[in-house]
Amino acid sequence: MALNNVWVFAQVANGAPTSATLELLTKARSLSSSVTAFIAGDGNAAAAALGEYGATKVYAADTGKNLPGVAIASAMKAVIDGGETPDLVMFPQNYEGRDVMSRLSVKIDKTVITNNVDIVDSGNGVTVVTPIFGGNTLVSTTFTGAAPFLAAFRPKSFAAESAGGAAAAVTAVSVPDLGATGGAQVNAVHVEETTGPKLDEANIVVAGGRGLGEAPAYAMVDELATILKGAPGASRAIVDAGWVPYSYQVGQTGKVVKPNIYIAAGISGATQHMVGMKGSKNIIAINKDKEAPIFGVADLGIVGDVHKVLPKLIEALKGR
Amino acid sequence: MNVIVCVKQIPDPAAPGALDGATNTLKRDGKLILDDSDAYGVEMALQLVDKAGGGEVSLISMAPNGETAGLRTALAMGAAKGVLVSDPALQGSDALTTAKVLAAAVKKLGGADLIIGATESSDGYTGTVPEQMAELLGLPSVTFAKKVSVEGGVLKVDRQTEEGYDEVTCPMPALISVTAGVVEPRYPSFKGIMAAKSKPVEEVTASDLGVTPVGWAGAGQQITNVAQAEARQAGEIIEDDGESFAKIVGFLENLKAI
Ligand SMILES: Cc1cc2nc3c(=O)[nH]c(=O)nc-3n(C[C@H](O)[C@H](O)[C@H](O)COP(=O)(O)OP(=O)(O)OC[C@H]3O[C@@H](n4cnc5c(N)ncnc54)[C@H](O)[C@@H]3O)c2cc1C
Ligand SMILES: Nc1ncnc2c1ncn2[C@@H]1O[C@H](COP(=O)(O)O)[C@@H](O)[C@H]1O
C-alpha cells in the first residue's frame, strides 16, 4: 500500500531534535512524501531542523506537567478524530516513545510492533524487521488489517541524513481533557551532569561490567575513556548494583551505541548487552573467561584479568 | 491498601531461546518460571501493603498452558491470591490483546488501589503492556519507576529518564511499572513455600472474561519471514601474558585512535 501520510513522534533535547528523531524522519521521507512530526512542547524552535530532515508539517502540543505518554497520545487521537489519516506512526524505542505508542494503540485499537530495526513497504504490505536472540535472528512481521500502523524503532537503525528541506509548518494542537488518566504530574526534573562526549554519539566507548569486581574499580573505565576522549558505558549488572547511573547503560534496555571502537572490560556479553553494541565497528574485549560470549563478537579479545590489563594499558597510553 | 501485580511466567532465560517451527513464535511449552522482572513488582507491592498496615497483594498472569509455577513463587513471597488467565486460544496474542486480557483480570478482582507491572518482560520485552492496561482501565500511570512511596494517599515516584529522573506525584488508583533494582526481592521462606500451596489461584479463560478475539486472530500482525542475521567475523583472541596491553595499544594505533 502507498503510505500517503507518515507521522513521527519527535523529541527535542536542549531545543534541538534528538538523533533518534532525525533518523526516523530520514526513513519516513523515503517511505512517503508527506511526513508530519508530532512533538511535545514548543514546535517553533525545532521547526527548521525537523523540516531539514524531511518533516513537512509539525504538530506541537503543550503537555505542561503531564507525562508526555498520555498527553501526546490524546492529542494524536484528537487530530485523527478531526479527520487526518496517518497510514503509519513511527516511534523511537525509548521511554517516552513507549508510553505514547502504548496509550495510542489502545485509543485507536491497533497493534503496535516494537523493537524494530527496519521497515519495508512492498506495495502490498508494510513489514517491519525485529532482531531476536541478541540480534542473531531477524523476524519480519507484516501488519494486517487497516492503517494506521504503529511501529517503534531502536535508535541507530537508520542513518540520519539532511534533505535540505525548508522549515516545517507548525500547528499548535491542544491536549484534550485527560480526566483521571492525567493524574500523574512531574514536579521536578533531575538531569545528571556529564562531561565529555555523549555515550550514544561518542567515537570511542569504554564499558565496564561486573567483572570489575567492585564499584571503585570503575574508576579505571572512567580514566581510560577520558584518555581516549571517549564515553564511559556499563552493563546493566553494574547499573542495577548502583555503581553507575542508568544513563551509562548499553543494551536492550539502555543505549544503542555504534562507535568506531568499543572496549568491553569484565562484561560477559549477554544477548541483551550485545544488541546495544554489536554494531560497533571495532570491538575489544577483556575477560578472564575465554568462553565468554563477548569474544564471539570481538575483533581483539584479551583473555585476562581487568585488574592487570587495564592499569598497564592506562599507564602506556598516559606515557604517550 | 490493595495491590495487584502482573506476573509473567516465562521459559527459563538461562535456557537458549527457540522458535516454534510452525508458528514462528517463542517456544513457551516447557516449564515456566516467574520472570525476574516481576519479582521486583511483587516485592514492592508487599512492602507498600506492609507500610500501609492493611490490605493484600493479588497476582494476575496470562499463560497459554495452565502454568502456575511462577505464580506459586510469587505467592510464596507473600502474595495472597492469584488469577490465571489460561486458554489455548491465547497463543500468538500481541501485547495489546495481552493488555486487554490482564485489564479484564484486574476488573474481575474488583480493581485495586495500585497495579504494578515491570518495565519490560525478559522474554517478550515489548514494554508496552502495563501502559496499555492503564489506558484500558482509564487510570493514570507512572512508568519506569525506580523509587516508590505513598504519602497521604498519593504516590510519589522517582521516574527514570534518559538523562536522570523526574519526581512525579500521582493520585490512586493508578498503575506503575517498576525497573529492575527498585527493591531487593525476598527469597521465599520454607513457610512461605508451604503456605503458597494452599493459596487460591482462580483459572479462567479469555472468553470467561469476555475478551475476544485473542491469539492470532486479534493480533493485527503476521510473521512473514525469519532469517539469520549476518554474523560478525571472529577476531584475534589472545591470552594475557602481562604484555597484552601492548596489543591493545597497537590496535588503537592502527585505527588512528591515539
Ligand atoms: C529484560 C532484560 C533486559 C536487559 N537489558 C540489559 C541491557 O540493556 N544491558 C545489559 O548490559 N544487560 C541487560 N540485561 C542483563 C543481562 O542479561 C546480563 O545480566 C548483564 O548484561 C550482565 O552484565 P555483566 O556482563 O557485567 O555481568 P556478568 O554476566 O556477571 O559477567 C561478568 C563477566 O566478567 C568476567 N570477569 C570476572 N572477573 C573478571 C576479571 N577480574 N577480569 C576480567 N573479567 C572478569 C566474567 O568472566 C564474566 O564474563 C537485561 C536483562 C533482562 C532480563
Ligand atoms: N502474560 C503476562 N502475564 C502477566 N503479566 C504480563 C504478561 N505479559 C506482560 N505482563 C506484564 O507487563 C510487563 C511488560 O511486558 P512486555 O510488554 O512483554 O515487555 C511484564 O513485565 C509484566 O509485568
Side-chain angles (χ1 to χ4, degrees):
Chain A
M1 66 176 285
L3 295 170
N4 294 317
N5 188 1
V6 175
W7 285 7
V8 170
F9 171 53
Q11 294 172 291
V12 285
N14 308 319
T18 60
S19 45
T21 301
L22 301 180
E23 290 158 21
L24 291 186
L25 288 174
T26 304
K27 187 64 190 179
R29 71 172 198 253
S30 78
L31 295 167
S32 175
S33 55
S34 169
V35 176
T36 297
F38 221 108
I39 199 167
D42 181 9
N44 292 310
L50 294 169
E52 187 192 334
Y53 282 80
T56 42
K57 202 153 71 177
V58 175
Y59 284 127
D62 182 0
T63 51
K65 287 172 91 176
N66 288 297
L67 289 173
V70 66
I72 290 293
S74 298
M76 286 179 163
K77 171 72 161 57
V79 174
I80 292 172
D81 286 347
E84 207 168 309
T85 51
D87 296 311
L88 169 72
V89 189
M90 301 173 82
F91 299 89
Q93 181 80 31
N94 59 23
Y95 282 1
E96 306 305 357
R98 275 162 48 172
D99 278 5
V100 179
M101 67 194 169
S102 301
R103 289 273 179 179
L104 183 64
S105 82
V106 173
K107 286 180 189 295
I108 62 174
D109 199 27
K110 294 285 172 201
T111 195
V112 44
I113 308 183
T114 49
N115 287 301
N116 303 299
V117 293
D118 202 2
I119 178 166
V120 181
D121 178 10
S122 71
N124 46 27
V126 173
T127 301
V128 288
V129 180
T130 322
I132 58 166
F133 303 147
N136 295 330
T137 304
L138 297 171
V139 177
S140 297
T141 309
T142 304
F143 286 97
T144 58
F149 305 137
L150 309 184
F153 298 87
R154 297 182 59 80
K156 299 221 163 52
S157 297
F158 313 110
E161 279 159 28
S162 163
V170 180
T171 308
V173 291
S174 51
V175 175
D177 180 8
L178 301 175
T181 61
Q185 299 284 301
V186 179
N187 295 313
V189 174
H190 297 264
V191 175
E192 278 143 12
E193 295 294 325
T194 49
T195 52
K198 284 179 64 185
L199 177 56
D200 51 359
E201 288 166 9
N203 203 27
I204 299 182
V205 171
V206 186
R210 186 145 49 196
L212 291 166
E214 46 177 21
Y218 190 82
M220 294 191 292
V221 171
D222 248 339
E223 189 174 7
L224 184 56
T226 307
I227 294 172
L228 294 171
K229 299 188 180 61
S235 70
R236 182 165 119 179
I238 71 168
V239 171
D240 286 352
W243 298 5
V244 292
Y246 166 74
S247 55
Y248 283 50
Q249 185 175 316
V250 173
Q252 180 183 301
T253 44
K255 300 233 160 46
V256 177
V257 302
K258 287 191 176 176
N260 186 26
I261 302 172
Y262 188 87
I263 304 179
I267 291 178
S268 60
T271 56
Q272 296 95 344
H273 185 79
M274 302 256 243
V275 293
M277 47 67 73
K278 245 170 69 169
S280 307
K281 280 208 195 66
N282 300 282
I283 298 172
I284 303 174
I286 307 164
N287 193 305
K288 70 174 184 192
D289 172 12
K290 67 174 191 302
E291 305 292 335
I294 192 78
F295 287 130
V297 299
D299 299 287
L300 175 61
I302 307 290
V303 182
D305 184 343
V306 286
H307 295 279
K308 295 195 176 123
V309 180
L310 286 182
K312 282 187 183 165
L313 177 61
I314 290 168
E315 213 43 52
L317 292 174
K318 264 193 189 156
R320 296 168 65 95
Chain B
M1 173 161 148
N2 290 320
V3 184
I4 295 176
V5 187
C6 304
V7 295
K8 192 170 182 185
Q9 305 178 89
I10 63 166
D12 187 346
L19 288 181
D20 185 312
T23 60
N24 277 327
T25 47
L26 285 176
K27 272 198 175 159
R28 292 203 172 85
D29 44 9
K31 187 177 148 53
L32 303 180
I33 62 171
L34 171 65
D35 186 346
D36 249 353
S37 307
D38 284 322
Y40 299 99
V42 174
E43 179 63 39
M44 166 70 41
L46 292 169
Q47 289 185 14
L48 289 173
V49 166
D50 201 37
K51 266 219 184 91
E56 63 180 14
V57 176
S58 308
L59 310 168
I60 52 176
S61 189
M62 174 184 120
N65 57 356
E67 182 66 61
T68 58
L71 275 170
R72 293 284 167 209
T73 304
L75 292 170
M77 287 171 73
K81 61 178 192 285
V83 171
L84 172 69
V85 190
S86 198
D87 190 335
L90 288 168
Q91 183 90 44
S93 292
D94 67 339
L96 180 55
T97 307
T98 305
K100 287 178 184 172
V101 166
L102 292 173
V106 167
K107 287 195 185 134
K108 181 171 177 57
L109 282 165
D113 301 301
L114 182 64
I115 299 159
I116 303 182
T119 294
E120 65 224 313
S121 63
S122 301
D123 64 336
Y125 56 88
T126 63
T128 57
V129 169
E131 184 74 357
Q132 287 170 320
M133 288 173 65
E135 180 65 22
L136 287 161
L137 293 164
L139 293 177
S141 59
V142 189
T143 45
F144 320 116
K146 62 170 204 164
K147 203 169 138 203
V148 184
S149 61
V150 178
E151 281 166 41
V154 174
L155 280 168
K156 297 192 76 174
V157 179
D158 284 355
R159 176 180 187 266
Q160 198 160 282
T161 60
E162 305 289 326
E163 293 96 24
Y165 67 97
D166 291 348
E167 285 176 42
V168 183
T169 53
C170 185
M172 295 193 284
L175 177 146
I176 57 173
S177 73
V178 297
T179 59
V182 67
V183 281
E184 189 60 48
R186 71 194 65 184
Y187 287 104
S189 64
F190 180 69
K191 218 176 110 207
I193 294 169
M194 295 315 287
K197 294 198 163 117
S198 56
K199 286 180 178 172
V201 173
E202 190 180 350
E203 196 174 323
V204 295
T205 64
S207 59
D208 290 342
L209 294 173
V211 185
T212 51
V214 295
W216 293 111
Q221 62 190 67
Q222 192 182 1
I223 294 173
T224 42
N225 190 40
V226 175
Q228 287 308 305
E230 218 174 292
R232 261 188 99 96
Q233 293 288 345
E236 186 188 2
I237 314 286
I238 58 166
E239 296 268 352
D240 179 41
D241 56 359
E243 297 301 315
S244 67
F245 73 91
K247 240 352 222 205
I248 301 179
V249 173
F251 191 88
L252 295 172
E253 263 173 349
N254 256 341
L255 295 170
K256 300 193 167 42
I258 47 174

